[in-house]
Amino acid sequence: MATWLVTGGAGFIGGNFVLEAVARGERVVNLDALTYAGNRDTLASLEGNPEHVFVHGDIGDRALVARLLAEHRPDAVVNFAAESHVDRSIDGPAAFVQTNVVGTLALLEAVRDYWKGLEGAARDAFRFLHVSTDEVYGSLGETGLFTETTPYAPNSPYSASKAASDHLVRAFHHTYGLPVLTTNCSNNYGPYHFPEKLIPLVIAKALDGEPLPVYGDGRQVRDWLFVADHCEAIRTVLAKGTVGETYNVGGNSEKQNIEVVRAICALLDQRRPR
């Protein structure tokens, strides 16, 4: 049975990943600071399950991370932990730098020290997978599809902080040999989505008969990826990815925001007609 240390495993994507991992027979040590986006209710079905160990804590706490690594001896670390809302990053960028940059650095240092102490097959098989975003590349729709070689051009404090964390992960591989993998995903949607994000927010506002929040003319382009497909891609990268490489994960479903809003309205007209 594999043991994974998952950070940010009470968040939207991390929570879906943890639920699926435990269902597949993996043992998960779940470290989450339970900030605004963390939700223990997502993990309610795992209460009392010995294969899920939940720890309330911060990736920036090196002593805590080191203790968890020494105690549970994970085969891989999957880092979902991040502040991830663009509007919040504009209002308060410092929290994003603290978690996404300083926190990731502390996590990398603890994991590096743990990995250096492994021997033989355990050392060879160990992986650190860093989950990032395609927003580090800039605005989708201006230059065509992003690729793994698209130059970084972050446009918000959030994406800038994630770009910095990506560079730290790369640096720890090239400097210390840490066996890292990075995934840059497009916009996720699905169960347990945080309610301030576009799709659940539009659904909730529409059901309540309130004005729908569309930024500007709504023509910003996003690629939409179902969260379960994203989790499957992460599993594939963990199993088959080349150490040191970056893998973009998308849904091949580019839509303008206004298209998504109109699609939601059309579905609600069918299911909840007024």
Side-chain angles (χ1 to χ4, degrees):
M1 178 186 297
T3 298
W4 293 350
L5 173 60
V6 176
T7 67
F12 166 43
I13 304 173
N16 277 277
F17 182 85
V18 167
L19 290 170
E20 183 180 351
V22 174
R24 288 174 178 251
E26 277 105 15
R27 183 170 182 270
V28 174
V29 180
N30 185 352
L31 175 64
D32 197 294
L34 295 179
T35 57
Y36 70 92
N39 184 4
R40 282 294 299 272
D41 291 342
T42 300
L43 308 168
S45 64
L46 300 180
E47 286 295 327
N49 189 324
E51 306 310 330
H52 177 246
V53 179
F54 183 83
V55 180
H56 183 195
D58 195 308
I59 60 171
D61 186 341
R62 276 194 65 180
L64 171 61
V65 174
R67 178 176 65 79
L68 294 176
L69 291 167
E71 180 180 346
H72 297 282
R73 313 296 291 177
D75 303 289
V77 175
V78 185
N79 181 34
F80 291 97
E83 299 283 349
S84 63
H85 194 267
V86 172
D87 290 346
R88 285 178 182 263
S89 79
I90 294 169
D91 293 336
F96 285 73
V97 172
Q98 185 63 40
T99 297
N100 299 351
V101 183
V102 179
T104 299
L105 174 60
L107 178 64
L108 284 165
E109 289 180 318
V111 172
R112 174 201 59 195
D113 294 346
Y114 165 73
W115 168 73
K116 288 171 66 175
L118 296 176
E119 297 179 353
R123 181 183 173 98
D124 294 339
F126 181 81
R127 296 291 183 268
F128 177 94
L129 191 147
H130 176 63
V131 180
S132 190
T133 171
D134 67 350
E135 293 195 39
V136 299
Y137 300 122
S139 299
L140 187 61
E142 293 184 359
T143 58
L145 290 174
F146 297 137
T147 71
E148 288 82 354
T149 59
T150 299
Y152 274 36
N155 292 325
S156 69
Y158 159 59
S159 55
S161 67
K162 288 298 289 184
S165 68
D166 292 4
H167 293 321
L168 284 171
V169 171
R170 174 184 172 87
F172 266 65
H173 172 62
H174 287 277
T175 303
Y176 305 109
L178 186 67
V180 306
L181 301 156
T182 298
T183 58
N184 294 91
C185 71
S186 56
N187 278 38
N188 281 224
Y189 68 97
Y192 310 112
H193 206 171
F194 192 66
E196 71 181 5
K197 301 290 188 174
L198 178 66
I199 290 178
L201 184 61
V202 168
I203 293 172
K205 293 286 188 182
L207 289 174
D208 290 340
E210 298 179 9
L212 304 184
V214 179
Y215 179 76
D217 62 7
R219 298 191 182 279
Q220 303 86 359
V221 177
R222 300 289 184 269
D223 176 52
W224 292 94
L225 172 66
F226 186 54
V227 64
D229 294 335
H230 183 198
C231 292
E232 185 63 26
I234 290 171
R235 297 180 64 88
T236 300
V237 172
L238 270 173
K240 301 179 180 180
T242 300
V243 166
E245 288 295 322
T246 293
Y247 295 89
N248 285 359
V249 182
N252 196 27
S253 183
E254 293 180 38
K255 304 286 184 186
Q256 293 181 351
N257 285 346
I258 193 66
E259 292 181 83
V260 175
V261 172
R262 287 171 176 156
I264 291 170
C265 290
L267 288 169
L268 289 176
D269 282 341
Q270 297 173 18
R271 294 169 179 262
R272 294 285 293 273
R274 291 184 182 273

